Amino acid sequence: MNMTPWGGPTARAASALHVDPSDIFVPMIPAMAAGVVAILVIAYMYGKRERARLGELHLQGDEIDHSEISVSQFPDARRPKLIWFNGALTLALMCTLIAGLLPLPVLFMVAFSIAMIVNYPCLQQQKDRVAAHAGSVLAVVGLIFAAGIFTGILSGTGMVDAMSKSLLAVIPEAMGPYLAVITALVSMPFTFFMSNDAFYYGVLPVLAEAASHYGITAVEMARASIVGQPVHLLSPLVPSTYLLVALAGIEFGDHQRFTLKWAVLVCLCIMFAALLMGIFPLFSTL
């Protein structure tokens, strides 16, 4: 989802290189599908391993009323009778996000307001729902401010410019035709250690300018630059990941150590699929 036009990186790449977001995203869909397949294979592998480790549980008879089983953290907040309305509202939100009718925050606020009014017409119920998630929201907001401060330090001190120039300095001239692949590879560590803003507005334009001398277009560089997003989501600069590990009840470091190798593998699958489909070139023949 982070590679979609409304996810952020694609919009940043499009803005930085002055290309259309749809020209970046639409050709990348088959490569993203390859990444999804890789994730499903990994999940299946771990599922089989856990089944072998834990065994199987067989329930006797049909005494259990499956309609009463809930995985919700707040069963009282469930609204099963409104599932079709909520589904339609979600679909409408997704369509408006794709169409870009309004800024992303506005669309989410409007959809949230409609959902709250319809699902919880009582003001006290609305307060309870907001209070139930307030702790997670405040933590994420604080992390966003902290990430913004860190990004400002990187940009304001000139460290981003120095990093991008240092990167270009170590790339041999003979590797110039391979800059699209190089960009795809360096997008993994660079978006892990720095924010998306720093990478897409500070590093990518420099790489794209260098690649243009070898006949690699800006849109091809933009596509290559979003390959590393699965690794970026493990970065300490991503607030949503903190929310994820908090809800799952695990340590952030443990999550990184376990997931990083698989995130890199998914990135490589996306990159190889993109190369095979000609979404961006392995090397320029110019």
Side-chain angles (χ1 to χ4, degrees), residues 45 152 202 210 213 221 238 246 265:
M45 180 186 70
H213 298 292
M221 290 294 289
V238 180
L265 178 61

Side-chain angles (χ1 to χ4, degrees), residues 26-145:
V26 175
M28 284 293 291
I29 291 177
M32 292 168 60
V36 171
V37 171
I39 293 173
L40 292 176
V41 170
I42 295 169
Y44 177 79
M45 180 186 70
Y46 271 103
K48 294 287 287 185
R49 181 183 298 181
E50 286 300 294
R51 172 173 287 187
R53 185 176 70 89
L54 300 175
E56 299 181 27
L57 176 64
H58 298 280
L59 301 177
Q60 298 295 327
D62 295 324
E63 294 85 1
I64 297 177
D65 184 3
H66 296 283
S67 64
E68 297 297 324
I69 298 177
S70 173
V71 296
S72 174
Q73 188 178 0
F74 306 100
D76 295 339
R78 296 175 63 213
R79 294 294 184 268
K81 294 182 179 179
L82 293 173
I83 186 171
W84 292 109
F85 171 81
N86 291 326
L89 179 62
T90 303
L91 180 61
L93 174 61
M94 296 298 293
C95 292
T96 52
L97 284 171
I98 295 172
L101 297 181
L102 290 170
L104 185 145
V106 175
L107 290 174
F108 273 105
M109 285 191 291
V110 170
F112 172 75
S113 300
I114 295 172
M116 287 291 283
I117 292 171
V118 174
N119 286 270
Y120 310 104
C122 176
L123 183 59
Q124 185 58 46
Q125 290 178 323
Q126 295 176 11
K127 290 181 178 179
D128 292 341
R129 292 297 90 230
V130 172
H133 301 282
S136 300
V137 171
L138 289 175
V140 171
V141 170
L143 288 167
I144 290 174
F145 279 114

Side-chain angles (χ1 to χ4, degrees), residues 44-274:
Y44 177 79
M45 180 186 70
Y46 271 103
K48 294 287 287 185
R49 181 183 298 181
E50 286 300 294
R51 172 173 287 187
R53 185 176 70 89
L54 300 175
E56 299 181 27
L57 176 64
H58 298 280
L59 301 177
Q60 298 295 327
D62 295 324
E63 294 85 1
I64 297 177
D65 184 3
H66 296 283
S67 64
E68 297 297 324
I69 298 177
S70 173
V71 296
S72 174
Q73 188 178 0
F74 306 100
D76 295 339
R78 296 175 63 213
R79 294 294 184 268
K81 294 182 179 179
L82 293 173
I83 186 171
W84 292 109
F85 171 81
N86 291 326
L89 179 62
T90 303
L91 180 61
L93 174 61
M94 296 298 293
C95 292
T96 52
L97 284 171
I98 295 172
L101 297 181
L102 290 170
L104 185 145
V106 175
L107 290 174
F108 273 105
M109 285 191 291
V110 170
F112 172 75
S113 300
I114 295 172
M116 287 291 283
I117 292 171
V118 174
N119 286 270
Y120 310 104
C122 176
L123 183 59
Q124 185 58 46
Q125 290 178 323
Q126 295 176 11
K127 290 181 178 179
D128 292 341
R129 292 297 90 230
V130 172
H133 301 282
S136 300
V137 171
L138 289 175
V140 171
V141 170
L143 288 167
I144 290 174
F145 279 114
I149 293 170
F150 182 67
T151 302
I153 293 172
L154 283 176
S155 302
T157 58
M159 283 191 283
V160 170
D161 292 336
M163 291 170 69
S164 59
K165 291 176 181 177
S166 298
L167 173 64
L168 285 177
V170 300
I171 298 176
E173 187 175 348
M175 298 297 291
Y178 299 90
L179 270 174
V181 175
I182 292 172
T183 299
L185 292 174
V186 301
S187 68
M188 288 185 268
F190 268 57
T191 56
F192 182 86
F193 290 109
M194 65 173 62
S195 69
N196 275 335
D197 285 337
F199 177 73
Y200 287 103
Y201 292 120
V203 178
L204 181 59
V206 179
L207 292 172
E209 175 63 25
S212 66
H213 298 292
Y214 297 94
I216 303 174
T217 64
V219 71
E220 289 171 337
M221 290 294 289
R223 294 169 190 164
S225 70
I226 64 174
V227 167
Q229 284 306 302
V231 171
H232 167 71
L233 290 175
L234 297 175
S235 169
L237 302 175
V238 180
S240 59
T241 307
Y242 287 95
L243 176 60
L244 169 67
V245 297
L247 294 176
I250 59 177
E251 291 294 330
F252 190 87
D254 294 337
H255 173 62
Q256 284 182 318
R257 283 189 291 272
F258 176 82
T259 312
L260 185 58
K261 57 182 178 295
W262 299 116
V264 172
L265 178 61
V266 171
C267 290
L268 293 176
C269 288
I270 294 173
M271 185 185 74
F272 287 132

